[in-house]
C-alpha cells in the first residue's frame, strides 16, 4: 500500500515537472485529438511574450469565441455605461377625451433587455413575465391619459436596416431561438417558448402552448398520440410563414417537449403584443398592427412625435455579461450593429465589421488574421486566429476595464457555459473563459490565473474534429488546466 502511494506521488510530481509544451503534446496525442485541427496560443500578460503557440496565426472557425471580439469592440467604442432607449411616440398628445388621432409608434432603439431575464446576470432559470418591460410601457401610455387610438400600432425598427440574418447563417438556424432575427426592436430575445404535451390517451390531441401568449403564429398540429409509438416530435416553419407545423408521434402521457423558437418579424410581434396589452387595459384601437422596416440603402430618418413613454436599458456592461456568460447570439449581434450605427452612421454588420477591422489592426493584427461575417460566431464564414483572441484579451487586460471585462466571462466549473465543465478538477475558478461550440468546432479563450502579475491569456480552438464533442471539450479543459498550472509556477 505504501509503495502504491509513493508511486502515485512520484507520478504526480513527474506530471507537475512537465513543461507546458510537453503537457499539451501529450494531450494532443490522444486518439480523439489526432482527428482534429488545433490552434493554440498562450501569452504572458505582463510581458506580452508568447508562452506556447501551435498554429497560432492560422485563421480558424471560432464559433462563439467571436463574441469576445464583439463585446470588446462595444466596450471600446460605446463605453461600459452606454444605454439603449425604447420610445412610444404619437403625432400629437391625447385630446381631452384621451383620444390619439393617428398612429401609435413603438420605436426600437436596439435594447436587448426587453424580457424577463435578470439584470445583473444571475445563474439559473429565467422566470417571470417575458412581456413585463412592454407591459410597463403600456402602463405609462395609459397613465399619459390615452383611452383610444384612431390609427395603427406600429413596431418601428428602422434604426437599423432590415437585414435580419448575418452572412453564413443557414435557414435551419432561423427557426430556433439561437438563430433569431436581428432587429432594433427586440422582445423576449425574439423568441417564444413552445411547449408540446402529448395526449393523455391514444388518439387524444396534443396540447400546444406558446409563451408569451401573443396572437402571432398559427399552429398546425398533426402530432399523433399512439400507444407504444416512438417519441418523434417534429417542429418546422417555412420561410416567411406564420404557421408552425407540429407533427410526428408520441406515446400517451409522455412528458412535455419544449423548444425555443424564433419570432420571424420582431417588429410586427412587438406591435401585436403592445396592442393586446393596451386592449387589456381598456384602450380602444381602431387601426391595425404593422411593422415599419427600413430597406438596405434607404437613408435613416429618426422617428419624431410626442413622447408618451420611454424605457432606458441597464448599462451596456451588464448586457455584455449576459452575452458572454450564457453565449447569447442575438445580443452579440445587437451590440455589434449598434457600434456600426454610432461610429459609422449605419446599423449594419458590414459597417460594424469595418469598425472592427480598424480596431483590430490598431492593435497590431494583420488584416489576414481574421475574416468576420457575424458578431456571434454562428456563421461558418467567420474566421479568426488564436493570436487574434490573445491580442484582444491582452488589450483588455491593459485597459481601464480589466476587471469589469474579466467578470463578464464564465467561471470554470461555476457559472454560465462553464458551469458543468472542468469536473474532477480542484481550484480552477481562476480560469475565466468564453466557450465556443458548433458542429465540429470547439473553442475556449480567456484568462488563467488570479495574480495579475502572473496571469496568462489563452486561446484554444479545435476544428474539423470527428470525435464526440464531449471528448474534445475534455481535452480543451485539460489544456486550460495545464495553462493555469504554468501560470502558477
Amino acid at each position: 500500500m505504501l509503495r502504491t502511494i509513493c508511486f502515485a506521488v512520484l507520478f504526480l510530481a513527474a506530471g507537475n515537472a512537465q513543461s507546458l509544451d510537453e503537457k499539451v503534446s501529450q494531450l494532443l496525442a490522444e486518439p480523439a485529438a489526432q482527428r482534429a485541427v488545433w490552434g493554440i496560443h498562450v501569452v504572458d500578460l505582463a510581458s506580452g511574450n508568447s508562452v506556447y503557440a501551435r498554429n497560432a496565426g492560422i485563421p480558424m472557425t471560432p464559433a462563439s469565441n467571436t463574441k469576445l471580439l464583439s463585446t470588446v469592440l462595444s466596450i471600446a467604442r460605446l463605453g461600459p455605461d452606454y444605454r439603449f432607449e425604447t420610445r412610444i411616440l404619437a403625432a400629437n398628445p391625447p385630446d381631452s377625451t384621451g383620444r390619439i388621432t393617428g398612429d401609435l409608434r413603438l420605436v426600437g432603439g436596439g435594447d436587448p433587455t426587453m424580457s424577463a431575464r435578470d439584470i445583473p446576470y444571475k445563474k439559473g432559470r429565467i422566470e417571470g413575465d417575458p412581456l413585463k418591460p412592454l407591459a410597463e410601457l403600456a402602463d405609462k401610455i395609459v397613465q399619459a391619459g390615452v383611452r383610444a387610438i384612431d390609427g395603427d400600432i406600429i413596431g418601428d425598427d428602422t434604426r437599423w436596416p432590415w437585414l435580419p440574418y448575418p452572412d453564413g447563417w443557414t435557414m435551419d438556424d432561423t427557426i430556433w431561438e439561437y438563430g433569431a432575427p436581428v432587429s432594433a426592436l427586440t422582445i423576449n430575445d425574439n423568441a417564444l417558448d413552445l411547449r408540446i404535451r402529448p395526449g393523455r390517451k391514444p388518439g387524444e390531441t396534443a396540447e400546444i402552448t406558446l409563451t408569451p401568449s401573443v396572437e402571432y403564429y398559427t399552429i398546425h398540429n398533426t402530432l399523433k398520440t399512439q400507444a407504444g409509438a416512438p417519441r418523434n416530435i417534429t417542429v418546422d416553419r417555412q420561410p416567411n410563414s406564420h404557421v408552425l407545423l407540429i407533427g410526428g408521434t408520441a406515446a400517451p402521457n409522455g412528458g412535455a417537449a419544449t423548444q425555443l423558437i424564433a419570432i420571424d418579424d420582431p417588429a410586427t410581434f412587438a406591435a401585436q403584443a403592445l396592442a393586446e396589452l393596451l386592449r387589456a387595459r381598456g384602450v380602444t384601437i381602431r387601426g391595425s398592427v404593422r411593422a415599419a422596416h427600413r430597406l438596405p440603402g434607404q437613408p435613416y430618418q429618426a422617428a419624431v412625435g410626442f413622447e408618451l413613454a420611454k424605457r432606458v436599458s441597464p448599462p451596456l456592461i451588464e448586457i455584455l455579461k449576459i452575452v458572454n456568460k450564457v453565449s447569447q447570439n442575438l445580443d452579440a449581434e445587437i451590440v455589434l450593429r449598434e457600434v456600426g450605427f454610432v461610429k459609422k452612421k449605419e446599423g449594419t454588420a458590414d459597417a460594424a465589421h469595418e469598425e472592427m477591422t480598424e480596431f483590430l489592426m490598431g492593435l497590431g493584427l494583420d488584416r489576414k488574421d481574421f475574416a468576420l461575417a457575424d458578431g456571434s460566431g454562428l456563421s461558418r464564414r467567420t474566421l479568426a486566429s488564436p493570436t487574434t483572441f490573445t491580442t484582444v484579451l491582452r488589450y483588455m487586460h491593459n485597459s481601464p476595464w480589466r476587471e469589469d471585462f474579466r467578470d463578464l466571462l464564465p467561471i470554470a466549473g461555476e457559472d454560465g457555459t462553464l458551469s458543468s465543465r472542468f469536473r474532477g478538477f480542484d481550484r480552477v475558478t481562476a480560469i475565466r473563459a468564453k466557450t465556443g461550440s458548433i458542429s465540429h468546432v470547439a473553442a475556449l479563450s480567456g484568462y488563467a490565473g488570479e495574480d495579475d502579475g502572473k496571469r496568462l491569456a489563452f486561446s484554444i480552438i479545435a476544428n474539423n474534429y470527428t470525435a464526440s464533442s464531449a471528448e474534445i471539450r475534455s481535452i480543451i479543459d485539460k489544456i486550460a488546466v495545464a495553462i493555469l498550472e504554468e501560470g502558477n509556477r
Side-chain angles (χ1 to χ4, degrees), residues 2 27 49 56 76 80 97 104 107 115 121 127 136-137 162 191 202 231 236 274 304 315 391 403 432 466:
L2 180 61
L27 289 166
N49 294 333
T97 67
L104 187 77
V107 183
S115 71
Y121 163 80
E127 298 179 345
E136 290 172 347
L137 284 173
W162 180 234
R231 188 178 177 87
D236 197 9
L274 179 59
V304 295
T391 299
E403 291 307 317
R432 307 286 184 93
T466 54

Side-chain angles (χ1 to χ4, degrees), residues 58 210 219 223 268 279 294 314 357 399 466 469:
I58 303 296
L210 286 169
I219 297 173
L223 177 64
T268 300
R279 289 191 178 107
R294 176 163 63 97
T357 298
S399 78
T466 54
S469 294

Side-chain angles (χ1 to χ4, degrees), residues 176-358:
W176 313 109
E177 174 269 346
Y178 67 83
V182 187
S183 169
L185 180 53
T186 288
I187 303 293
N188 195 44
D189 298 332
N190 293 341
L192 299 172
D193 189 343
L194 172 65
R195 191 170 187 271
I196 306 167
R197 180 176 290 281
R200 290 176 172 77
K201 54 187 177 182
E204 188 171 280
T205 303
E207 177 185 322
I208 314 292
T209 58
L210 286 169
T211 305
S213 180
V214 175
E215 292 185 14
Y216 186 75
Y217 281 129
T218 298
I219 297 173
H220 183 58
N221 177 18
T222 61
L223 177 64
K224 295 180 179 179
T225 304
Q226 299 174 338
R231 188 178 177 87
N232 180 29
I233 300 173
T234 63
V235 179
D236 197 9
R237 177 176 59 79
Q238 297 302 307
N240 302 315
S241 169
H242 279 196
V243 179
L244 289 177
L245 305 172
I246 313 296
T249 60
N253 281 320
T258 59
Q259 294 278 4
L260 288 172
I261 60 169
I263 297 164
D264 70 311
D265 187 342
T268 300
F269 177 87
Q272 177 65 31
L274 179 59
E276 292 181 17
L277 289 166
L278 288 172
R279 289 191 178 107
R281 286 157 174 77
V283 177
T284 300
I285 301 170
R286 296 186 174 90
S288 59
V289 164
R290 59 187 174 94
H293 296 307
R294 176 163 63 97
L295 297 178
Q298 289 182 335
Y300 171 64
Q301 292 183 329
V304 295
F306 179 79
E307 185 175 281
L308 291 164
K310 180 171 73 174
R311 180 182 190 269
V312 179
S313 78
L316 177 67
I317 197 72
E318 299 296 344
I319 296 169
L320 300 183
K321 186 173 289 186
I322 291 167
V323 172
N324 283 334
K325 288 284 190 181
V326 306
S327 204
Q328 223 293 332
N329 288 343
L330 176 62
D331 291 7
E333 302 295 343
I334 283 174
V335 298
L336 188 68
R337 292 199 188 196
E338 187 66 3
V339 169
F341 180 84
V342 171
K343 304 303 291 187
K344 297 296 183 184
K345 310 306 179 187
E346 189 59 285
T348 64
D350 286 346
H353 288 140
E354 182 181 343
E355 187 70 20
M356 178 77 80
T357 298
E358 294 172 8

Side-chain angles (χ1 to χ4, degrees), residues 123 412-414 418-426 428 474 477-478 481:
K123 180 180 177 181
E414 290 287 336
L418 288 182
S419 60
S420 60
R421 298 271 294 265
F422 293 88
R423 295 292 173 85
F425 292 103
D426 293 328
V428 291
S474 175
D477 290 354
K478 291 173 184 175
V481 171

Side-chain angles (χ1 to χ4, degrees), residues 411-458:
I411 302 170
E414 290 287 336
D415 69 5
T417 53
L418 288 182
S419 60
S420 60
R421 298 271 294 265
F422 293 88
R423 295 292 173 85
F425 292 103
D426 293 328
R427 297 185 295 277
V428 291
T429 56
I431 296 173
R432 307 286 184 93
K434 179 73 195 74
T435 56
S437 180
I438 54 178
S439 297
H440 309 294
V441 174
L444 188 70
S445 298
Y447 300 111
E450 292 290 357
D451 186 339
D452 275 0
K454 300 172 68 176
R455 189 174 296 159
L456 304 178
F458 67 89

